[in-house]
Amino acid sequence: MKNSYLIIAGFLFSVSTINAQTLQDYLVIAKENSSELKINTYEYELAKEKVLEVGNNTYTSFNLGYFIQRPETRVGSQVAMGGVRQEFPWFGTKNAEREVAKSNAEIWQYDVELSERDLIYKVKEAYFNLYEKQAITTILMENKEILMTYENMALAALENNKATFSDVSLVRVQKNELHSKMFQNYNEIEALSKNFNRLLQRDVNEIINVLDSLNVTDILIGKIAVDSHPSLNKINQRTEALDYEDEFISKENTPKIELGLDYIIVNELNNIDTADNGKDIILPTVTFSIPLFNNDNKSKNNQIKIRQDQIISERNNQKRILDMALEEAMLSFNNSVLSVVAAQKNKKEIQHAININLKAYETGIINYKNIVGLQLQKIKYQLMEINATKKAFIAKATTEYLTN
């Protein structure tokens, strides 16, 4: 029994005192190691690189030709010709296309922010769950020591015929129950510790430092709102991208300009003396492509309008979901604080009753059933306080996820 007690005490020492890392340190490690965060960051970088592909000119075309039947002109026969062509969009079309690409690329930025927030919340939640289990084990160990003291008192009283064997058995049963719960809690701490390290994507056997105590008065919450949440900013960015796309579609419905230059090789005419005899021909050209019968843009504009209306509804729905989550988190926080206060008050009252019962030991008369029952009531409120504290800190983490 003593060896088991030392094993648990040693485990708690390794969890809570050897490593000096704090919750903030763990958040930094998690962000540095997170595969999901890296994937979204790479996607964001790729999207920004793809912007460079947009808005470039189309291929420059070259053509060469040879006259099998040479047409005769006043200055000689045409032998061969070559030319170059380059098409240009209407003024402002390229910039509009680039703005669409840039705006779409920025959407990935909010995916990075969302994945980072999700990760931070998960680490905090796991940390506070681990804190609860460690605090529970400490409470059980302390109360087991108290029950061992009661057991010794009962054995001493039994020798003097001032207690019964049933009194001793009553204390031992509760002591053994706490011993079992201590080991169950130990197993839970071990599993939570490994999962915590997995969340940080490091060796599962790394030592974890958890605070010995948390105080709900350190985390009071003021007036907050969800307006700056990345999921809403992402929807806003999509709206901006659609506005740029609408402008680009309008630019697409403008003429395209093609500039060209042809060069024709001309042979000289024999026995003819004329000006510019055999002079090659240079022919600049300008071509306009006008979308006279193209109705695609009207359909595209209608699609943009439908998508804009869809995004407005999507934003309203997402805002409602976030507001509901924030309201639930605030309710959980407030109720948890009330539970902590109630548990602290009840602990004091029960301890006062225990002290009164212990004074009876001086006269040699003590009601072990009563005092053990009071001790179990104290454990109940100790555990209630720890659980409510954990819930309050998780609720605070939820509000930070939703608002910061």
Side-chain angles (χ1 to χ4, degrees), residues 18-236:
I18 293 178
N19 197 328
Q21 289 174 316
T22 65
L23 175 57
Q24 292 303 317
D25 294 327
Y26 293 135
L27 294 176
V28 172
I29 293 171
K31 287 189 286 187
E32 288 177 349
N33 295 344
S34 173
S35 299
E36 182 180 358
L37 192 56
K38 289 177 182 178
I39 290 170
N40 285 327
T41 301
Y42 290 145
E43 289 287 356
Y44 179 39
E45 295 299 324
L46 282 173
K48 289 194 293 184
E49 283 296 322
K50 287 181 179 179
V51 174
L52 302 177
E53 300 176 5
V54 177
N56 296 317
N57 291 326
T58 58
Y59 288 165
T60 302
S61 61
F62 296 88
N63 65 285
L64 294 172
Y66 182 80
F67 293 101
I68 297 176
Q69 294 182 342
R70 299 181 180 181
E72 295 290 341
T73 67
R74 181 179 62 84
V75 294
S77 60
Q78 298 179 8
V79 179
M81 67 176 296
V84 60
R85 300 271 189 287
Q86 180 64 61
E87 186 180 74
F88 298 94
W90 195 252
F91 305 103
T93 304
K94 287 184 181 180
N95 288 335
E97 188 178 9
R98 288 194 190 98
E99 290 300 328
V100 172
K102 287 180 183 177
S103 191
N104 283 324
E106 289 303 314
I107 293 175
W108 280 102
Q109 172 190 351
Y110 300 107
D111 286 325
V112 174
E113 291 184 20
L114 280 170
S115 60
E116 182 174 332
R117 285 198 182 209
D118 288 339
L119 177 64
I120 289 173
Y121 173 77
K122 289 176 182 177
V123 172
K124 288 181 179 179
E125 183 183 37
Y127 180 88
F128 296 132
N129 282 328
L130 194 55
Y131 159 79
E132 179 191 27
K133 293 302 177 182
Q134 178 178 310
I136 288 174
T137 299
T138 302
I139 290 169
L140 295 177
M141 289 171 62
E142 290 173 351
N143 281 277
K144 183 183 175 184
E145 287 183 0
I146 293 172
L147 289 177
M148 289 173 66
T149 301
Y150 293 162
E151 181 184 10
N152 293 332
M153 291 166 58
L155 287 171
L158 180 62
E159 292 178 358
N160 297 320
N161 295 320
K162 293 181 180 180
T164 65
F165 187 76
S166 62
D167 292 328
V168 177
S169 297
L170 174 66
V171 177
R172 284 177 174 173
V173 167
Q174 296 303 326
K175 183 190 70 173
N176 293 337
E177 185 70 21
L178 289 187
H179 181 79
S180 175
K181 289 180 179 178
M182 283 167 55
F183 268 89
Q184 291 174 21
N185 210 62
Y186 165 79
N187 291 335
E188 291 177 2
I189 289 175
E190 187 176 22
L192 288 174
S193 298
K194 289 182 178 180
N195 282 340
F196 186 83
N197 281 322
R198 288 187 179 101
L199 193 57
L200 270 56
Q201 296 191 16
R202 64 179 192 175
D203 191 320
V204 295
N205 295 316
E206 285 281 346
I207 302 300
I208 301 168
N209 178 63
V210 179
L211 291 175
D212 293 330
S213 63
L214 295 173
N215 192 338
V216 294
T217 59
D218 296 335
I219 56 169
L220 297 180
I221 302 174
K223 187 176 181 180
I224 50 179
V226 300
D227 297 329
S228 61
H229 194 266
S231 64
L232 296 178
N233 292 333
K234 180 180 178 180
I235 294 174
N236 294 337

